[in-house]
Structure formats: structure tokens, C-alpha cells
């Protein structure tokens, strides 16, 4: 079984949209949003995937708590059928933290390959969890978004050095750093130096869930990103649809 986020109670968050961020920006894709996370970013735009109680404390104990309206368990075959019915042959798996459900994701992708053999699969991840060995060969692209200090997570949880080194050596991985102030870029620079990130695989993305904030931040980010030789990404879906579930 997979545990998914919901758009409304009882409806799993599986939808077609344009990939709004990073190297595949603008590509028609099916999105699957899973429930639960092992981090707790202050500014998380999908906190409904992990903050279930309203008391602002994340649950990090797997499925051993009351399932509220914000999540739903579904069989892998059912999720595969819903994905295939939506059309686009690119799949983006996100959350929450999808790699927490690695074995079930491997079963999902096996089922999907029967229905839709030539598809492309990318995973949005916070980069703290190693991909399950059965899942890894089925993935074409990892969009790895390590969390900087302004996320509010302790660095030892959010930036495990061995994992970052593994992602840096993984040719299918792109980094996507969320930045709110110029100071955040100094942290990216230090991580890039320590792990010898390939510049062409480093994306900087403004923090924000409103178009005006994104535009303002993109303007001061552009020259700084240019000077580093990294890449800049917007959040297209926010401009198109706002901060709405299922878009
Ligand atoms: C909700 S996360 C889910 C996947 C995974 N947990 C992660 O953090 O990469 C999807 C993407 O949205 C980004 N994100 C979340 N909240 C954001 C915000 N307020 N502004 C900009 N990006 C945000 C994350 O950094 C990540 O790249
Ligand atoms: N359109 C669209 N593109 C996205 N790219 C990454 C997303 C995510 O939440 O992981 C996302 C999302 O939620 N919507
Ligand atoms: S790691 Fe991703 S899903 Fe988890 S709290 Fe941070 S942005 Fe949200
Ligand atoms: Mg999103």
C-alpha cells in the first residue's frame, strides 16, 4: 500500500499539470503526492502532508497514528491505473518525502511499466533518504532539494554529509535549493565547494507561494546565480494556479 496526500477528503492527490520547477520545467506530467515527511520546514507549502494535528508538531513515526482527512492508503495497482488514465507519460513523484515509501514505490513503478512502458519517472526529494534498492533502477531523475538553515531543520537531519556526497556522485540527480535571502546562497556555495557539485546541476529556486514574492526574489537572484554559473528556476505552477492542492 502507498499512503497518499489528498486534495479533498477521500480523493488522492494524483493530477496532471506542467512540471513547475527545475530541469523539467514546463513539461506535461502526472504528479503523485505522497503523505508523511521526516523533516518539518517552516515554509513547507504542503504541510498538510505531514502536520496532521494542528499542533505544529510533525509525526515521524510511520503509519502508527490516526489517519485523518489529509491522507489515504491505496493499493499500488490502483495508483498505477489512475496515473495511466491521466495521459502524460512523465511521472513526478513528490510529497511529503516520497523516499520514505521506497519499497511501495518500486511496486507502483513495476505496475505502471506494464500499463505505460516508455514513461519517464522523476522523484522530488529532500535528499536525506537513500533510494530503496528496488526503486532506484526504475527512476530516471532525482530532483534533490537539500534544506538550508532557514528551513528550521537541524543540519544533522537535513544535510547528512554522506547522503549529499552520494547525490553529488549520482548523474541522475539535480540539486534544487530554496532560497529566501542572499545569505542563503553562501550556504549553497559552501555545500557546492565541499561536495564538488557540477554547476549545471545546481538550481536555485526562490522561496514563496505568491507570484509577487517569486518575481521580486528572481530579480535579485538572477545576477547572483549568473555569477556562480548555477541555474535559476521559477515556480511556474504558482503563477498559473496559485498555492492550491492538486496543481
Ligand atoms: C513539498 S516538497 C516535496 C518533496 C520533498 N519533501 C522536498 O522537500 O524536496 C517539493 C518541492 O517544493 C519545495 N518547496 C516547499 N515549500 C516551498 C516554498 N514555500 N517555497 C519554495 N519552494 C518550496 C521543496 O523544497 C521541494 O523542492
Ligand atoms: N506543477 C507543479 N510542479 C511541481 N514541481 C514540483 C512540485 C512539488 O510539489 O514537488 C510541483 C507541484 O506541486 N506542482
Ligand atoms: S522536506 Fe519537503 S515535504 Fe518535508 S517539510 Fe520540507 S518541503 Fe515539506
Ligand atoms: Mg509543490
Amino acid at each position: 500500500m502507498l499512503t497518499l496526500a489528498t486534495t479533498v477528503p477521500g480523493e488522492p492527490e494524483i493530477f496532471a499539470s506542467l512540471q513547475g520547477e527545475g530541469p523539467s520545467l514546463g513539461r506535461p506530467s502526472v504528479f503523485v503526492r505522497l503523505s508523511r515527511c521526516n523533516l518539518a520546514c517552516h515554509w513547507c507549502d504542503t504541510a498538510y502532508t505531514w502536520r496532521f494535528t494542528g499542533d505544529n508538531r510533525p509525526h515521524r513515526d510511520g503509519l502508527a497514528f490516526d489517519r485523518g482527512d489529509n491522507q489515504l492508503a491505496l493499493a499500488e495497482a490502483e495508483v498505477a491505473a489512475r496515473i495511466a488514465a491521466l495521459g502524460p507519460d512523465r511521472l513526478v513523484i513528490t510529497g511529503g518525502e516520497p523516499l520514505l515509501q521506497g519499497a511501495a514505490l518500486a511496486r507502483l513503478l513495476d505496475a505502471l511499466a506494464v500499463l505505460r512502458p516508455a514513461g519517464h519517472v522523476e522523484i522530488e526529494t529532500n535528499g536525506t533518504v537513500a533510494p530503496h534498492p528496488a526503486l532506484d533502477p526504475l527512476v530516471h531523475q532525482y530532483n534533490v532539494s537539500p534544506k538550508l538553515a532557514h528551513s528550521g531543520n537541524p543540519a544533522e537531519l537535513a544535510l547528512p554529509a554522506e547522503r549529499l556526497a552520494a547525490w553529488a556522485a549520482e548523474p541522475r540527480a539535480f540539486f534544487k535549493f530554496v532560497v529566501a535571502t542572499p545569505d542563503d546562497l553562501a550556504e549553497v556555495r559552501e555545500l557546492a565547494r565541499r561536495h564538488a557539485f557540477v554547476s549545471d546541476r545546481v538550481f536555485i529556486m526562490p522561496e514563496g507561494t505568491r507570484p509577487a514574492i517569486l518575481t521580486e526574489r528572481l530579480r535579485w537572484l538572477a545576477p547572483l546565480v549568473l555569477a556562480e554559473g548555477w541555474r535559476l528556476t521559477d515556480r511556474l505552477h504558482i503563477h498559473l494556479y496559485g498555492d492550491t492542492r492538486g496543481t
Side-chain angles (χ1 to χ4, degrees):
M1 298 290 266
L2 279 160
T3 311
L4 290 95
T6 56
T7 47
V8 294
E11 268 309 305
E13 192 167 342
I14 304 172
F15 59 98
S17 187
L18 301 173
Q19 168 57 288
E21 308 170 1
S24 310
L25 194 148
R27 292 194 155 126
S29 305
V30 177
F31 290 77
V32 171
R33 190 174 308 281
L34 301 187
S35 192
R36 294 193 287 122
C37 190
N38 59 334
L39 297 182
C41 303
H42 282 325
W43 38 253
C44 179
D45 65 359
T46 49
Y48 60 89
T49 64
W50 54 266
R51 191 192 286 145
F52 300 110
T53 60
D55 66 359
N56 271 7
R57 275 180 297 117
H59 295 263
R60 292 183 175 151
D61 53 359
L63 297 178
F65 55 88
D66 288 338
R67 209 184 291 130
D69 284 344
N70 279 314
Q71 55 176 359
L72 179 69
L74 277 185
E76 291 83 354
E78 167 72 14
V79 177
R82 285 176 183 249
I83 293 167
L86 278 172
D89 62 0
R90 299 181 68 97
L91 174 63
V92 179
I93 304 173
T94 185
E97 178 43 53
L99 293 182
L100 296 176
Q101 301 186 55
L105 281 179
R107 292 192 291 274
L108 166 67
L109 295 182
D110 280 336
L112 188 60
V114 176
L115 304 174
R116 196 206 64 174
H120 181 277
V121 177
E122 54 193 85
I123 295 193
E124 303 278 341
T125 174
N126 63 30
T128 61
V129 181
H132 189 282
L135 171 67
D136 190 50
L138 307 172
V139 177
H140 300 93
Q141 182 176 315
Y142 292 101
N143 303 322
V144 181
S145 184
K147 296 303 181 282
L148 305 174
H150 71 119
S151 70
N153 297 288
E156 59 273 21
L157 271 185
L159 301 168
E162 272 178 37
R163 255 295 89 216
L164 284 177
W167 291 122
E170 167 56 67
R172 294 169 293 170
F174 292 84
F175 291 99
K176 188 173 64 180
F177 290 96
V178 173
V179 166
T181 69
D183 286 349
D184 301 333
L185 286 178
E187 235 183 301
V188 180
R189 208 176 290 119
E190 174 53 23
L191 288 169
R193 189 197 56 76
R194 198 180 313 152
H195 297 289
F197 294 158
V198 176
S199 306
D200 192 56
R201 286 201 258 129
V202 175
F203 283 78
I204 304 298
M205 179 165 78
E207 191 281 322
T209 51
R210 285 186 298 124
I213 296 268
L214 295 174
T215 303
E216 188 266 314
R217 291 179 169 163
L218 285 167
R219 289 202 175 121
W220 59 256
L221 276 168
L224 302 174
V225 170
L226 176 62
E228 298 289 346
W230 297 326
R231 297 169 73 174
L232 183 62
T233 177
D234 201 353
R235 309 188 76 212
L236 178 64
H237 49 113
I238 299 286
H239 295 285
L240 294 173
Y241 313 114
D243 184 21
T244 334
R245 293 193 197 195
T247 60

